[in-house]
Amino acid sequence: MAKLAIDSKPYFAKRVSELLAECGIAEQDFVCEPEAKTNLGKEMYRGGPRNHDLLMRGNDCVIGIEAKVSELFDEEIGKRLECKEGNRSKRAEKLIEFLMPGKAQEDVKKIGYQLFTATRGTMCAALEHGVEKSIMLVITFKGNVEKEDDYDTLCAKNAEDFDDFLKATGADGNGRIAREIGNKAVSCWIKHIDVIV
């Protein structure tokens, strides 16, 4: 991710411009922070913050990036629901309620937990920055990458998780959801792009 953002800056800027246009958001400059941390909010119970691979803050939009090759989106959220340790199960329940109102836990339990925290964390980061628009972007690096064991299976699982997550949120045709956090409205476009290296 660092190599893309620094060594391939023109290419990365072009992909971000395309993404903004796709979401109907004005072209703008961003301040970028790698490994930025964002709290998920009081109603999500105590627990660790969201660690963005890269957080981009613009004039009226925040982009939270989750970069992948083939590693999974953490464990399935169903495993968190079953966990008796600390507030893990309560946080998982609240994330499902927030992102997928009306959905049964059973229907979404196989989706990777990281998609939930990445989306909620990106929306919280937007409100912390004083803006109402956000984009949770998954970047998958393909091509000349170091392939883990079961690379194809892991990539297929991630693609399936992303699609299932997007559908379960009730996002519109452009991947946008709208929610309230602490009585403040915030929109999030849930997007995925492949980058060939």
Side-chain angles (χ1 to χ4, degrees):
M1 185 63 229
K3 192 171 177 62
L4 172 67
I6 296 167
D7 294 348
S8 302
K9 194 173 175 183
Y11 172 76
F12 182 50
K14 178 177 179 289
R15 295 301 301 264
V16 170
S17 293
E18 291 167 354
L19 180 68
L20 292 172
E22 188 179 307
C23 297
I25 298 173
E27 186 89 20
Q28 56 198 280
D29 292 328
F30 289 90
V31 173
C32 300
E33 181 184 353
E35 298 300 327
K37 292 179 170 42
T38 304
N39 289 322
L40 299 185
K42 292 178 194 169
E43 60 271 22
M44 291 293 122
Y45 289 92
R46 287 182 67 182
R50 161 65 184 156
N51 284 18
H52 307 272
D53 287 331
L54 186 67
L55 185 64
M56 303 173 62
R57 299 179 187 94
N59 297 333
D60 72 345
C61 173
V62 161
I63 303 173
I65 296 177
E66 180 59 38
K68 293 284 180 199
V69 174
S70 61
E71 66 275 23
L72 296 177
F73 291 114
D74 204 349
E75 64 187 0
E76 294 174 350
I77 197 164
K79 301 264 191 237
R80 296 284 175 129
L81 290 167
E82 294 167 5
C83 186
K84 304 298 180 211
E85 192 180 300
N87 292 315
R88 287 178 159 219
S89 64
K90 289 180 181 175
R91 179 175 268 198
E93 286 173 16
K94 287 294 182 183
L95 284 165
I96 293 169
E97 284 174 22
F98 174 74
L99 290 165
M100 302 162 176
K103 279 281 180 195
Q105 292 176 3
E106 186 66 24
D107 295 340
V108 300
K109 70 179 185 179
K110 296 213 171 280
I111 299 172
Y113 181 72
Q114 206 171 47
L115 287 166
F116 294 82
T117 56
T119 304
R120 170 80 185 199
T122 299
M123 296 170 92
C124 287
L127 292 180
E128 280 180 14
H129 187 56
V131 299
E132 296 177 357
K133 290 183 267 193
S134 63
I135 301 170
M136 192 285 283
L137 176 63
V138 174
I139 295 177
T140 301
F141 294 101
K142 296 198 166 184
N144 186 21
V145 294
E146 188 174 332
K147 293 183 169 57
E148 299 174 86
D149 290 342
D150 295 324
Y151 171 82
D152 291 329
T153 304
L154 294 171
C155 287
K157 166 69 170 148
N158 277 350
E160 183 181 334
D161 271 16
F162 184 86
D163 289 344
D164 289 347
F165 178 78
L166 189 59
K167 285 177 200 156
T169 64
D172 69 15
N174 198 18
R176 179 183 170 273
I177 61 171
R179 301 287 187 273
E180 280 192 4
I181 299 174
N183 296 321
K184 291 181 181 172
V186 59
S187 292
C188 186
W189 284 260
I190 301 165
K191 296 290 186 178
H192 172 263
I193 62 171
D194 289 334
V195 171
I196 308 301
V197 295

